[in-house]
Amino acid sequence: MADYTFRGVEIHTEAMWSLAHMENVLNFMEKYGMNGLIFHENGIIDALTWPETVYSTMEMLRRRPVPMAKINAARIYINMIIRYAKEKNIDLFLEAKELSFPDSLIELKGDLQNPDGTVCPTNPYWFFLMESRIRELLHYCPGLGGIIVSLGTHESRISLARNSCSCDRCKNTDAVDWYENLIRAMYKPLSEAGKKLVIRDFSYTAYHQDCLIQASAKVSTDIIVSLKTTAHDFYIPYPTNSRIGHTHGLEQWIEYDVWGQFYGDSIYPASIVEDLRARLRECREKGVSGAYFRTDWEVMNGITVFNSPNLLNLIGAAILTGDLNADLDTIYRSWAENGIPTCLLDGTYGPVSSSPFSLTAWKKLRDFMRRSWDIMRKTHYCRDHNFIENGQVPDHLEKAFEWMIDIHGQDDWSPGASRVLDRTEENIREIFAEKEWAEQELDQAQKELNIPSLGLSERLAGDMEIILRLYKHFVHMAKIATISVFLAQKAIETEDPDDMQKALDTLPPLRDYAGVVEKELGHTHYPHYIYAHLEPSRLLTLAEDIDRRLKHGKT
């Protein structure tokens, strides 16, 4: 029996609507005995419901003819995937962020919108609409395994967690009560149909995380809580999510990103297999029964683990959830023998992979992938605080610190964690040393990998050489952006002329390296995500922003 009873694969991009991609995913899942497929799209319930309690057939035809046709087509596709998946003993779950609604609803229900344009999340109508949408979804897609939902994130269209309504009802609404009513509206039709409801703990604050779990327990002991392995988001350097093992007796699933939103976006290869094993073992000891793994990210179409060397991480997840004591070398060998995909071909073409001819190549690849995670950690983070913005270096000074401390910060869960980013001499020295180490380590790791010695196909060897060259550019861009950001912020805070000059001296390297990268990328024909990662104009914009702030103050 597998160590984890629910073992899932999450699709988070438009690739879920590609039959060719999904057949590849389902074949992978069948091979490794995985049993849960998750389609994660924020508005996926909207993509499959009118809703019929709002629009009659003729009203849809007159008001929303294109959405009507798309919804009908989407239902057919989803039911086809459900059938294909069930043939392989796999259940399909839909994952959404709620509350959501079609824009035209506001025209019909004007009382939902306040005079100032805000939408009130505590209007009782939303609970009615939620229940009716779930019933409609289950009527047209009865084979679904269940629904996974985020209710406490800023990324929902409306939520108490991002509420801008100032009405008395909102002011007097208890967050636990609001979540309870919303969860109950979803749970009722799902439980009647024998389907699972999975509530994600995804939230931007510990307060809303706690409220969600409390509310779930108040509704039913049948509800499953899904927790990211680290609080708030997929930050591998962060401590394990403290709520794991503390869900008021509710069944627990965990979610983990094997793609790399915060470690290179599957462009720069990196193994997190060692961390994955440690987290899975810890979580299993804390009573977790299910785990699912994100293989792509909604912001970046065309790149998934299935067209990246980071397929290694999904193979690791598949093997380890089946056997937590599996030999890690078995995972690395399986990855190499199955064929290593190239990420220089957009995933819409289908994966192109190659297995090394050398019998010992997998060991060199294993060692490089392990080292690459350490390199990425020192590149993507500043003292384990996320620095890279959606795969790109920051382009504004203020935003860089907002990103590290507020948007992706740890302070709400580990008070005072961000003090390691204070602009003290010691902190700055440590942060800059991380970046210097990453750059030197990548040079050494690439030399020891020795791509020509691996016996790869000419295509994969050539692509790997290119990726490692681009990897060096990415690491250097992160290094010089970090230096400029921290010295500039220090100068603004101290107003010391020497600090000011040191900060200004960091700007020419930003501008110069933008030219280097532009030359590197000129006349190339890579997938769009390569250009997004290495966008040289961001270095120029950062330099301009810092220059303006140092000379003229905040503007």
Side-chain angles (χ1 to χ4, degrees), residues 40-45 94-98 147-150:
H40 182 182
E41 185 175 282
N42 289 1
I44 198 165
I45 297 177
L94 302 183
E95 181 173 334
K97 293 186 175 76
E98 292 288 345
I147 293 175
I148 302 170
V149 65
S150 301

Side-chain angles (χ1 to χ4, degrees), residues 127-393:
F127 307 128
F128 160 77
L129 184 66
M130 176 63 83
E131 181 176 340
S132 64
R133 287 165 68 229
I134 300 301
R135 290 191 183 280
E136 181 180 339
L137 173 67
L138 295 176
H139 175 74
Y140 289 102
C141 302
L144 288 170
I147 293 175
I148 302 170
V149 65
S150 301
L151 300 174
T153 168
H154 297 181
E155 298 170 24
S156 305
R157 292 206 66 180
I158 51 172
S159 171
L160 209 63
R162 64 179 295 268
N163 187 17
S164 54
C165 176
S166 58
C167 74
D168 289 340
R169 183 175 56 218
C170 282
K171 291 177 182 177
N172 295 315
T173 294
D174 178 78
V176 173
D177 291 342
W178 186 82
Y179 286 125
E180 180 186 351
N181 289 332
L182 197 55
I183 293 168
R184 199 175 296 280
M186 299 187 74
Y187 176 74
K188 185 178 179 181
L190 285 164
S191 63
E192 289 172 0
K195 309 298 181 183
K196 290 182 171 64
L197 175 60
V198 185
I199 302 295
R200 300 178 74 206
D201 79 327
F202 180 37
S203 55
Y204 281 63
T205 66
Y207 170 72
H208 280 280
Q209 180 191 40
D210 290 342
C211 290
L212 278 164
I213 296 173
Q214 287 182 49
S216 298
K218 291 178 72 174
V219 173
S220 173
T221 56
D222 292 335
I223 289 174
I224 299 166
V225 176
S226 176
L227 306 106
K228 293 189 176 185
T229 49
T230 55
H232 178 31
D233 222 327
F234 299 113
Y235 316 113
I236 293 178
Y238 289 17
T240 298
N241 189 340
S242 61
R243 288 312 303 251
I244 295 174
H246 303 281
T247 57
H248 304 289
L250 298 179
E251 183 178 353
Q252 302 171 93
W253 292 356
I254 54 168
E255 43 191 293
Y256 194 107
D257 172 30
V258 294
W259 180 76
Q261 179 182 352
F262 301 106
Y263 57 95
D265 297 345
S266 270
I267 297 171
Y268 312 114
S271 171
I272 46 78
V273 169
E274 284 70 24
D275 179 82
L276 185 56
R277 181 174 65 176
R279 303 275 190 183
L280 286 171
R281 284 178 171 176
E282 178 185 357
C283 292
R284 190 70 192 92
E285 290 173 358
K286 293 179 177 179
V288 174
S289 62
Y292 58 100
F293 305 92
R294 194 177 71 180
T295 60
D296 51 13
W297 183 40
E298 61 184 327
V299 171
M300 203 170 291
N301 286 307
I303 177 73
T304 82
V305 297
F306 291 95
N307 63 302
S308 163
N310 279 12
L311 181 60
L312 162 70
N313 299 324
L314 183 60
I315 292 172
I319 291 174
L320 288 167
T321 48
D323 179 7
L324 288 171
N325 295 315
D327 179 15
L328 295 190
D329 279 351
T330 300
I331 295 169
Y332 286 101
R333 280 199 303 269
S334 177
W335 165 64
E337 291 167 0
N338 277 313
I340 301 170
T342 175
C343 70
L344 278 185
L345 185 68
D346 189 292
T348 54
Y349 292 100
V352 173
S353 59
S354 170
S355 299
F357 301 122
S358 167
L359 295 178
T360 59
W362 71 269
K363 293 182 179 180
K364 283 188 173 183
L365 288 162
R366 173 200 62 193
D367 295 344
F368 176 82
M369 293 292 281
R370 284 173 170 168
R371 292 173 76 173
S372 185
W373 156 244
D374 291 326
I375 293 164
M376 190 51 65
R377 180 175 185 171
K378 302 299 186 186
T379 299
H380 215 288
Y381 296 82
C382 290
R383 304 195 76 183
D384 287 344
H385 284 72
N386 183 53
F387 178 72
I388 297 297
E389 178 188 343
N390 298 331
Q392 300 176 309
V393 295

